[in-house]
Every structure is written in C-alpha cells, then in structure tokens.
C-alpha cells in the first residue's frame, strides 16, 4: 500500500513544546523591549509622567494596593462571569430553537445581527434603575445582553453550516430531526460556539467595567478607575487597569483551554501535518 | 435468467426542477436484478446523480413509479434498505474512522458489543486494519472512501448506491479501488448501482451499463457486459473489453448528437 | 421585498407585544422579581415615543430635535473614529502581512490590547489630548478609533492572506512586484473579510463615541443626553427611554450603512447553508 498516511499528532510533548516556544520568541522579545522602552522613555524624558507612569511605578502601586484591587477585580469579575453565563446560555438555547425551526431562524437572523449593532451599554442607566445602582445584577444584565447576540449568531451559523451531502447521508439512514441535531449539527457547531464564547469573554468584562461608568458600587473596578482618574491619581488608575487586563486575558485563556480539551479532534489542534 | 423480483424497478419516472424549468429525467424505465452491478454513465447534466437520488428517496420524482426491494422508495429508505457513498467521503471530522463506520449502527439502536464486532468485520472487509482510531484528516482520499464504503455496508443493506465515489482519486488509486469494490461486492452479496463518468470504469465493474444523455435526461441504451467474472487486471487488456468500451462510447456520442438534432433516430 | 417588510412589521409587533404583555402581567400580579414593574421601570412604548414630540424641558425645543442634534454630533465623532481606526488597522495589517516575524512579535499584543478596557483609559486620553489643545470631541474619536482598529487589523490580516496559493504562484510567474501583488490580489481577496470587520467596527465606534463622551464631559452628544435624562429619570422615565431608542436606531443605522456599502462593493458567493 503506497498511499500516504499521516502520522497522528506526535505524543512527544517535549518536541511539541519546543516548537511552540520558538514561535513565541519574537513576542517575548517585543514585550521586553516594549516594557523597557516604556520605562526608559517615561523616566528618561520625564514625559507625561502623571498620565502614563512607568511600569515600575504601576507595579509598585499595584502591590501596595493589592488587597483593594484584587477584591475589586473579583467583584467585577463576578459580574462579568454571571453575565457571560446567563447571556451565553440563553444564546445557545435560542440558537438551538432557531435552527430547529428554520423558517423562523432564517427570518430572524438579520434582526439578530442588527440587534448586535445596538449600543447596549447605553442601557446601563436603565438597568441601574431596575436593579439598583449598587447591585451587581444591573451590570450582569448588561454583560448578559452584550454576550447574547454574538454567541447566538455564531452558534446558529455553526448549527446550519452543514454540507447538504451530510444531511443526505443522515436521511439515507432515515434519521429524524432530533438525531440529525444530536449527531451532526451540534458537533459541527462546536468550533463556531467557541469562537463566539471567546469573543463573549472579552465583551462581558468590558460590559461589567464600563457599565460602572454610569454609576455603581464602590467595590467595583470600573468605579475605582473612574475615581482615580478623576482625582488624577493615574498610577492607581493604571494599576486597576492592569488588574482588569489580567483578569480579561485569564478569562479568555480559560475558555480557550476548555476549547482545546473539548475539540482535540479539530484541525486547529493538529501539530504538523501534510496534506 | 434470474426470475427473482427486481431489487430496483422504475417505471416512467420523470423529474422536473421548478427552478430553471429543467427536465432532469424523462420517462426513465429500468430494472436492477439481485446481485447485479449496474452502472449509470453519461455526460454532465444527464441526470444520473438525480436518478440515483430518486432511487434513494432523497429526491422526489415528479411522476412515475419507484419500487425498491418490493416497497416504495420512501418505505425502503425508512427501513434502511440501502447504503450510499458519495464522491466526497462525507466523514465526520469529530469521529474516528471506527466511530464513523458505526454511525448508522448507532442510529439503528444496536448495542455496543454488536457495534464493535460489526465495525471490526467491516474494517477487515475494506482492509483498513490498524487505522480505525485515526481521524479523517489523518487518512488519504482513498482510505477515506474505504471508510465511507465500510459505513455504507455496515448494516448489511441489500442495495448499495454509489455516486462517482472514486471521481476525486488519481488513476492508480482508482483502479485499485475498483478491484476493492468488486471484491467487496462478491463477499457481501449486495446489489450495486454505480454512477460514473469513466467509460472504462463502468465496463470494468458492471454486469450492465446504462447509457444516459442530457436535455432531457433519459436512457439511450443498455450494454450487457459479458466479460468473465471475477474480473482482474488482465480483463482490461482483453479485446472484448475494448469492444465494449467502444460500444458504450458510441452510444454516448449518439446520445450527445441527439440533443442537437431533434427527431432523428438513435441507433443502439 | 414585500416579505421583508412584513417580517419587519411582524418582529416589531412581537417586540411591542412582549413588552406590553409583560408589563400588563407584571402590574396585574404585582411582580417584584427580577424588578418591580410599574410606570417608572416600564413605561408604555407609546408614551416613550410620544415623549419625543414633547418639549425636552420647559419652553425648550422638542425632544426629538434635541436628540437629533445629539445623534449627529455623536455620529460625527464615531465616523471620524471609524475612518481613523479602519485606516490605521488596514495599514497595520498591510505591514504585518509582509513579515512573519513582525506578526509573531506584535499579534499577541494587538489581541491583548482589546482586553485593556480602553474606555477605562478614556479619562486619560481626554486629559492628554485636551492638554495638547485638541477639541474634546476629537478625544472621543480617538477612543472610537481604538475600538475600531482591532477587528479591522485582525480581519484585514486574515483577508490579505486568504488568496489561493496558486493565485500567488500565477503572480510570481508574471514576476509581479510586491506592490502589484498587494493591490491586484491581496486587497481584492480581503474585501469580504474587511466588510465583516467593518460591521463589527461600526457598532464599536458608536459605543466608543457614546461612552467616550462621559469622561470628556461632553454635553452635546448622545452620551451626554443619556446622563442628563438619567438624572431626571424619576420625573420623566420616558425621556431616557426615548433617548435610548434613538441611540439604538443610530447604532443600527451605522451598521446598515456598512451593509449597504458591502452590497455595492462586494459580490459574494452564497454561503453553504443546509
């Protein structure tokens, strides 16, 4: 048998990591250079120090205030997480419903896409009035609505982007709609769902933090940033932003990790392959 | 001659597609007897793929009668009387080869032990032992098609429908797969309806070849292939093989001309 | 065409029905969870729309006039920001597509930049640019640009790389220069991706503009209007709701503008949907 067969992804962990590490070198170099330049530029030229403090000062301020900042970070993260779960959960359910009743789904898809264009954040004052300005629920609702449409649109697309021949195959097995969903549409949609979820993590964090701009609890990160900036204590503001960033990246990475585990079969998880 | 009931029988089947007002099939009459290997050949647009799908109840005819395994095509599909193989292997990326093969068995509600056993048999039948745990993207085109064939036969259907399954493969792999299909045909005892573009393939594989022509799609001739069984590499070099290929080719040519010259008779 | 119109009417009617239905139910039952339902929390929709034609304050211009002006103001900020962000994003992608090294070096930060809540550093941007003598609304545009450049860069990069390798080989066989390849092959291939990004960016620039107005203390735009009517929520909830409806319409209008542009510029093969 001379047909070419591709080896499964090598189990050689070390070799895989080696290749990966090499890919990251340019990014690490840029990071080091960037931080170094930032530090040097700001200190050396004493430029805009009060607006853009050197990284060392930011880290120092973060360390000094780590208790307040981490608790604020967790408070806001809970709002974001709650919104993410509610919004994405509802979105997946909605997508399943719309994929099942296609005429409805096809008719509503453009509206879902348009609804995504509405600046949801503008509704923060209203949710504040509904749930109380201090309640995390008001920000959670905003985050949930922001997450809903991207996840729904992506999931719906994943459920319906199936090759006609795959459907014919299932029909040749006299499979009913439920079976087609279970064995074809849902597994097919997973890459799309995770794309939507990753976008949603970022949106949920932003929704939670920016929702605070219209008013919120003192314990929330957004309020702290606004307050610090308002009194020109920019080191504190940047330290809070640093926390927000780290949380956002961690959230995104967590979802990406789950994606890797669930979809180990996906082409993007392959190591090297020849086609 | 075999006087058992035909596995597939079509009478006066016509198919019009509303979109574009195309008559894909006109008054198709054909019969396929048990254990036959029948090919449908014709140029693009002659309706051969549509005809295959009519047999499989994946496309509804505008008029005419379709009987498969003694029942209506619809009933036959619901009772899973046939397996189908497409030009694209249409395997599911998220399943291993073994799990792809067991897909119809899962739908039929077979228990795990029975499924595992049958998958093992099928893997041996298509000679893919050692590759069951691979994912589709780890297999070559020919191997993917073998998985597709194994999947189509896994539940022992009396009829196998194949829509240009080797069209995407290179010539050498294709000839090898031709031998594979013949071997599988013999071992499984099924009836096969095979759609192809290749005259040589049609003659090599079949017991009968139906020649079709387009605009509107219809059968313009039938060629009985009386080459000795089992077929092998030498069959392709026999004189009778070339005679049959020529016969099919001339039928095709006559069919093509037919579309331009309305009213002239076709010699068969 | 008729079907589209009917669907639109049906959707609007359904939304209206859901709102009024939930409201009627909530009032009748005395619902307090998730929130209390009354005239203040859920005004009638016809009241909200009616409010547009009332004076925004005593003896002042009609609300709809005020909001119309505010919308134009914010739309201008957003449009400038969109143009700036899209331009920078596209340029960045063009530079990156020609160097794998630069890509590996900078992409992680471009991605990470979006996790920094720019709206968080909006106050700083406003102070900085204000110190340089630039008008307040420009700071808002800069913030909108920041939100725009990311989707444009990522999608443009993917789009510029999306052409079939064989098409590239054809160009090589003509000994085409990099510039020619860029403009004759890469850019046309990237158009669908660009428009996908523009659709996201359109919304992002409006959001950026509205929120950016808050730390910049700009009164003339929609952000200012929202803050303003938020203060009067107790006495006139309909005004805030009307403002939000207008803001939603502006967002949708921006989005539709991009969709229209796409229809005119790009002809796509139909998606494979089953």
């Amino acid at each position: 048998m001379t047909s070419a067969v591709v080896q499964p992804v090598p189990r050689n962990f070390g070799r895989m990591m080696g290749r990966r590490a090499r890919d990251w070198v340019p990014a690490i170099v840029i990071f080091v250079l960037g931080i170094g330049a930032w530090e040097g530029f700001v200190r050396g030229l004493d430029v805009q120090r009060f607006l853009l403090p050197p990284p060392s000062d930011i880290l120092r301020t973060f360390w000094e205030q780590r208790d307040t900042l981490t608790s604020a970070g967790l408070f806001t993260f809970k709002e974001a997480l709650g919104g993410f779960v509610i919004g994405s959960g509802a979105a997946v359910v909605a997508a399943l419903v719309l994929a099942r009743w296609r005429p409805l789904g096809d008719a509503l898809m453009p509206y879902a896409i348009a609804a995504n264009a509405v600046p949801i954040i503008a509704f923060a004052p209203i949710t504040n009035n509904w749930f109380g300005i201090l309640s995390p629920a008001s920000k959670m609702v905003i985050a949930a609505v922001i997450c809903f449409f991207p996840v729904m649109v992506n999931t719906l697309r994943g459920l319906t982007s199936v090759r006609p021949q795959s459907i014919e195959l299932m029909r040749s097995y006299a499979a009913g709609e439920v079976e087609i969903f279970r064995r074809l549409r849902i597994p097919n949609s997973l890459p799309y769902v995770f794309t939507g979820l990753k976008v949603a993590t970022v949106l949920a964090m932003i929704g939670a933090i920016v929702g605070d701009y219209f008013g919120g609890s003192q314990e929330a990160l957004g309020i702290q940033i606004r307050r610090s900036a308002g009194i020109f204590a920019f080191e504190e503001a940047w330290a809070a932003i640093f926390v927000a960033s780290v949380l956002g990246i961690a959230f995104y990475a967590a979802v990406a990790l789950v994606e890797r585990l669930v979809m180990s079969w996906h082409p993007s998880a392959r190591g090297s392959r020849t086609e | 001659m075999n006087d058992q009931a035909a596995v597939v029988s079509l009478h006066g089947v016509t198919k019009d597609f509303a979109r574009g007002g195309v008559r894909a099939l006109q008054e198709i009459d054909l019969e396929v007897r048990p254990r036959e290997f029948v090919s449908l050949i014709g140029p693009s647009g002659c309706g051969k793929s549509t005809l295959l799908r009519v047999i499989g109840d994946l496309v509804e005819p505008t008029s005419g009668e379709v009987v498969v395994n003694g029942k209506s095509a619809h009933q036959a599909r619901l009772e899973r009387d046939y397996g189908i193989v497409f030009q694209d292997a249409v395997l599911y990326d998220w399943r291993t080869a073994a799990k792809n093969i067991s897909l119809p068995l899962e739908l039929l509600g077979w228990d795990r032990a029975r499924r595992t056993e049958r998958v093992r048999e099928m893997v041996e039948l298509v000679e893919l032992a050692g590759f069951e745990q691979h994912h589709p993207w780890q297999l070559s085109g020919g191997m993917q098609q073998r998985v597709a064939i194994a999947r189509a036969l896994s539940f022992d259907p009396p009829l196998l429908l194949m829509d240009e399954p080797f069209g995407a493969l290179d010539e050498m792999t294709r000839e090898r797969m031709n031998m594979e299909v013949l071997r599988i045909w013999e071992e499984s005892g099924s009836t096969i309806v095979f759609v192809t573009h290749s005259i040589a393939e049609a003659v090599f594989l079949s017991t009968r070849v139906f020649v079709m022509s387009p605009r509107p799609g219809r059968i313009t001739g039938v060629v009985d292939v009386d080459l000795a069984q089992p077929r092998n590499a030498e069959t392709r070099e026999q004189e009778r093989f070339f005679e049959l290929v020529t016969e099919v080719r001339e039928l095709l040519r006559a069919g093509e001309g037919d579309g331009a010259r309305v009213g002239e008779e076709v010699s068969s | 065409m008729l079907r589209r119109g009917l669907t639109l009417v049906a959707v609007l009617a359904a939304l209206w029905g859901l709102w009024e239905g939930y409201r009627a139910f909530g009032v009748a039952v005395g619902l307090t969870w998730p929130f209390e339902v009354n005239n203040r929390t859920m005004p009638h929709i016809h009241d909200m729309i009616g409010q547009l034609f009332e004076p925004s304050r005593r003896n002042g211009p009609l609300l709809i006039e005020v909001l119309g002006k505010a919308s134009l103001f914010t739309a201008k900020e957003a449009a400038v920001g969109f143009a700036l962000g899209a331009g920078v994003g596209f340029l960045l992608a063009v530079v990156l597509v020609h160097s794998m090294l630069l890509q590996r070096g900078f992409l992680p930060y471009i991605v990470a930049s979006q996790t920094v809540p720019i709206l968080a550093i909006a106050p700083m941007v406003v102070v900085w640019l204000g110190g340089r003598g630039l008008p307040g609304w420009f700071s808002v545009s800069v913030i909108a640009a920041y939100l725009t450049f990311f989707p444009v860069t990522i999608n443009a990069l993917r789009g510029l790389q999306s052409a079939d390798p064989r098409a590239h080989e054809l160009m090589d066989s003509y000994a085409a220069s990099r510039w020619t390849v860029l403009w004759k092959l890469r850019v046309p291939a990237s158009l669908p991706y660009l428009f996908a990004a523009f659709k996201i960016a359109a919304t992002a620039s409006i959001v950026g503009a509205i929120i950016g107005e808050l730390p910049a203390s700009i009164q003339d735009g929609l952000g200012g209007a929202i803050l303003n009517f938020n203060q009067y929520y107790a006495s006139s909830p309909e005004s805030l709701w009307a403002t939000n409806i207008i803001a939603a319409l502006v967002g949708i209008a921006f989005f539709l503008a991009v969709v229209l542009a796409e229809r005119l510029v790009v002809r796509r093969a139909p998606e494979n949907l089953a």
Side-chain angles (χ1 to χ4, degrees):
Chain A
M1 198 161 46
T2 55
S3 38
V5 172
V6 176
Q7 290 303 314
V9 174
R11 304 248 176 257
N12 187 339
F13 188 71
R15 182 148 55 103
M16 242 168 48
M17 283 312 286
R19 196 187 320 122
R20 283 295 179 69
R22 223 185 319 126
D23 280 349
W24 279 98
V25 164
I28 296 175
V29 168
I30 297 285
F31 183 75
V32 170
L33 285 179
I35 295 288
W38 181 356
E39 180 88 23
F41 190 65
V42 174
R43 272 201 199 287
L45 302 184
D46 218 21
V47 158
Q48 308 289 3
R49 188 147 166 175
F50 79 107
L51 270 187
L52 187 66
S56 47
D57 284 353
I58 295 178
L59 281 175
R60 187 170 38 86
T61 315
F62 166 71
W63 189 253
E64 285 165 14
Q65 304 204 347
R66 63 187 180 284
D67 291 329
T68 338
L69 285 177
T70 40
S71 79
L74 285 173
F75 183 88
T76 302
F77 181 72
K78 263 190 292 180
E79 291 175 336
L81 185 62
F84 173 81
V85 168
I86 296 173
S88 309
V92 169
V93 170
L96 284 169
V97 168
L98 289 182
R100 175 67 180 84
W101 283 280
R102 290 304 299 283
L104 192 63
D106 290 341
L108 289 184
M109 182 68 133
Y111 290 95
I113 296 179
N116 203 25
V118 170
I120 307 285
I121 293 266
F123 286 79
I126 290 186
T127 58
N128 283 341
N129 273 294
W130 279 354
F131 300 101
I133 205 167
L134 296 179
S135 158
S138 54
K139 314 300 179 301
M140 242 188 250
V141 168
I142 295 285
V145 176
I146 293 183
C147 290
F148 179 84
F149 288 105
V151 174
M152 197 203 80
V153 168
N154 268 294
T155 307
L156 187 57
R157 208 171 272 154
L159 289 170
T160 54
S161 295
V162 173
R163 268 186 307 170
Q165 283 179 331
S166 297
I167 302 281
E168 282 185 327
L169 187 72
M170 287 305 260
R171 290 219 189 288
S172 80
Y173 300 144
E177 282 297 328
V178 174
E179 288 287 358
I180 292 183
F181 256 85
R182 201 178 132 203
R183 298 190 192 276
L184 176 59
R185 292 192 189 276
I186 291 179
N188 187 65
S189 70
L190 284 181
Y192 295 79
V193 172
F194 274 104
T195 303
L197 287 180
K198 283 190 284 193
V199 169
T201 60
V202 177
L203 293 176
M205 276 304 284
I206 294 183
I209 292 179
V210 176
D212 286 331
Y213 273 37
F214 287 100
S217 156
Q218 286 302 315
E219 295 174 49
L221 213 50
I223 295 294
Q224 302 234 348
I225 296 174
R226 216 177 58 152
R227 195 167 43 90
S228 307
I231 60 176
F232 292 106
F234 288 108
E235 278 166 17
E236 289 176 21
W238 277 103
I241 290 174
F242 168 71
V243 171
S245 246
V246 167
L247 282 172
I249 294 176
F251 196 10
Y252 180 97
V255 173
L257 185 64
V258 171
E259 177 184 23
R260 263 307 170 79
L261 294 173
V262 167
M263 291 192 343
S264 51
W265 49 262
H266 197 252
S268 63
R270 298 178 215 168
S272 64
R273 72 176 290 247
T274 52
E275 171 72 87
Chain B
M1 204 73 250
N2 212 327
D3 62 279
Q4 276 176 286
V7 176
V8 176
S9 109
L10 273 67
H11 290 299
V13 167
T14 302
K15 177 63 186 172
D16 291 315
F17 281 114
R19 227 181 328 145
V22 168
R23 171 151 286 199
L25 296 170
Q26 173 156 295
E27 298 290 322
I28 303 287
D29 283 323
L30 69 74
E31 256 188 32
V32 181
R33 295 182 282 275
R35 307 206 85 196
E36 274 206 278
F37 195 126
V38 157
S39 283
L40 305 175
I41 189 169
S44 302
C46 69
K48 52 194 194 294
S49 288
T50 309
L51 183 52
L52 198 74
R53 280 167 172 74
V54 165
I55 297 174
D57 187 44
L58 297 172
V59 165
E60 226 185 287
T62 313
S63 63
E65 197 190 35
V66 184
V67 180
V68 176
N69 221 24
K71 329 165 185 145
S72 70
H74 184 68
Q75 199 57 34
R77 177 172 71 84
L78 290 180
E79 292 180 22
R80 297 169 183 115
D81 278 347
Y82 71 87
I84 188 163
V85 180
F86 299 101
Q87 183 169 28
D88 243 322
V90 193
L91 300 179
Y92 291 172
D93 273 333
W94 54 88
R95 287 174 172 246
T96 58
K99 291 228 82 190
N100 265 291
I101 296 173
S102 74
L103 175 63
L105 305 177
E106 289 169 30
L107 287 169
L108 280 166
W110 287 23
D111 63 72
R112 174 169 297 219
R114 212 175 148 206
R115 289 202 310 258
T116 318
E117 177 58 31
R118 174 52 63 96
V119 168
R120 204 186 47 78
E121 283 171 23
M122 292 284 104
V123 166
E124 266 186 52
L125 179 67
V126 299
E127 294 187 348
L128 272 180
F131 293 99
E132 313 88 294
Q133 297 309 318
H134 285 218
H135 282 274
W137 44 269
Q138 294 168 303
L139 301 172
S140 70
M143 297 170 90
Q144 286 182 15
Q145 275 299 25
R146 278 194 253 171
V147 175
I149 293 172
R151 177 180 62 188
L153 289 173
S154 61
F155 52 100
D156 250 341
L159 178 63
L160 189 59
L161 303 177
M162 304 180 84
D163 189 1
E164 300 196 55
F166 309 132
L169 304 177
D170 64 85
E171 186 83 16
M172 278 129 349
T173 312
R174 195 177 210 180
E175 284 189 10
R176 224 174 7 245
M177 292 303 295
N178 282 172
M179 290 302 309
E180 293 286 299
V181 162
L182 284 180
R183 180 180 58 81
I184 292 168
W185 173 53
E186 251 208 65
E187 283 184 34
S188 62
S190 46
T191 310
I192 300 188
V193 178
F194 189 93
V195 169
T196 178
H197 255 138
S198 158
I199 304 176
E201 190 176 54
V203 171
F204 180 73
L205 292 174
S206 327
T207 52
R208 271 194 302 161
V209 176
F210 285 85
V211 180
M212 298 180 70
S213 67
R215 291 182 304 276
R218 63 204 182 286
I219 297 178
T220 48
V222 183
V223 175
D224 271 313
V225 180
D226 53 7
L227 297 166
Q229 298 276 7
R231 314 254 169 97
N232 51 40
E234 274 135 25
T235 314
R236 292 185 201 273
E237 290 160 20
Q238 289 174 11
E239 212 181 295
R240 183 69 186 132
F241 181 80
F242 290 110
E243 282 173 17
L244 289 163
V245 165
T246 308
E247 204 180 316
V248 171
R249 188 175 292 126
E250 282 177 355
L251 273 173
L252 279 168
R253 222 180 276 149
E256 259 174 68
D258 204 24
R261 294 169 291 161
V262 177
E264 268 202 44
E265 277 190 23
V266 181
S267 62
S268 58
Chain C
M1 204 56 208
L2 181 64
R3 174 169 329 157
R4 290 253 184 92
L6 284 177
T7 322
L8 179 60
V9 170
V11 169
L12 290 177
L15 289 174
W16 184 88
L18 276 171
W19 179 267
E20 296 290 340
Y22 182 81
R23 186 187 184 284
F25 174 72
V27 166
V29 169
L31 209 54
T32 49
W33 191 92
F35 57 85
E36 196 181 319
V37 178
N38 52 38
N39 260 332
R40 199 173 55 84
T41 56
M42 285 184 76
H44 282 292
I45 291 192
H46 52 263
D47 284 337
M48 294 178 203
I49 300 188
Q51 191 68 24
L52 286 171
F53 301 100
E54 301 280 329
S56 61
R57 58 180 188 281
R58 206 191 301 267
N59 296 325
L62 290 185
L63 183 60
I64 195 168
E65 248 190 81
V66 171
L67 291 180
K69 289 216 188 85
S71 301
L72 281 174
F73 188 85
T74 303
K76 182 185 65 166
E77 293 168 327
V80 171
F82 180 88
L84 205 56
V88 167
F90 187 72
L91 277 171
L92 195 54
V94 167
V95 167
L96 287 181
V97 83
H98 288 110
S99 162
M100 199 61 200
L101 192 65
L102 285 181
Q103 270 185 51
R104 291 229 194 93
F106 283 102
L107 266 182
Y109 303 110
I110 296 183
V111 172
S113 74
Q114 293 306 292
T115 62
V116 172
I118 175 63
L119 301 174
I121 73 174
M124 274 82 108
V125 172
V126 169
V127 171
W128 178 43
L129 289 177
R132 280 181 157 30
L134 287 165
W137 67 262
F138 188 73
S139 322
V140 177
S141 290
V142 168
I143 293 166
Y146 185 97
L147 287 174
T148 306
F149 101 92
F150 173 70
V152 172
T153 306
I154 295 292
N155 275 36
L157 189 57
R158 206 185 295 154
L160 290 168
Q161 294 172 324
S162 68
D164 197 314
R166 287 168 298 187
H168 279 280
E169 287 179 321
L170 188 68
M171 280 296 192
D172 285 343
S173 79
Y174 300 147
S177 68
R178 279 214 195 160
W179 190 254
T180 314
V181 172
L182 177 65
W183 288 106
K184 297 256 186 243
L185 178 59
R186 288 190 191 275
V187 170
S190 70
L191 284 179
Y193 294 82
L194 276 181
F195 275 99
F198 287 160
K199 284 186 242 189
I200 301 173
T203 311
S205 58
I206 288 278
V207 170
I210 293 180
I211 305 296
E213 288 172 4
L214 302 179
S217 300
I218 291 186
Q219 304 288 351
D220 306 324
L222 282 175
I226 293 175
L227 264 187
N228 189 33
F229 291 115
N230 190 28
Q231 283 177 305
Y232 296 112
Y233 194 80
S235 51
S236 173
E238 298 86 2
S239 300
L240 181 60
W241 277 100
T243 310
N244 275 94
I245 292 177
I246 298 290
L249 289 176
V250 172
I252 294 178
F254 246 64
F255 176 79
L256 287 178
V258 175
V259 171
L260 186 64
E262 180 182 22
R263 287 266 173 84
L264 295 174
V265 172
V266 178
R267 267 158 250 281
R268 291 186 69 176
E271 268 178 69
N272 188 11
L273 293 178

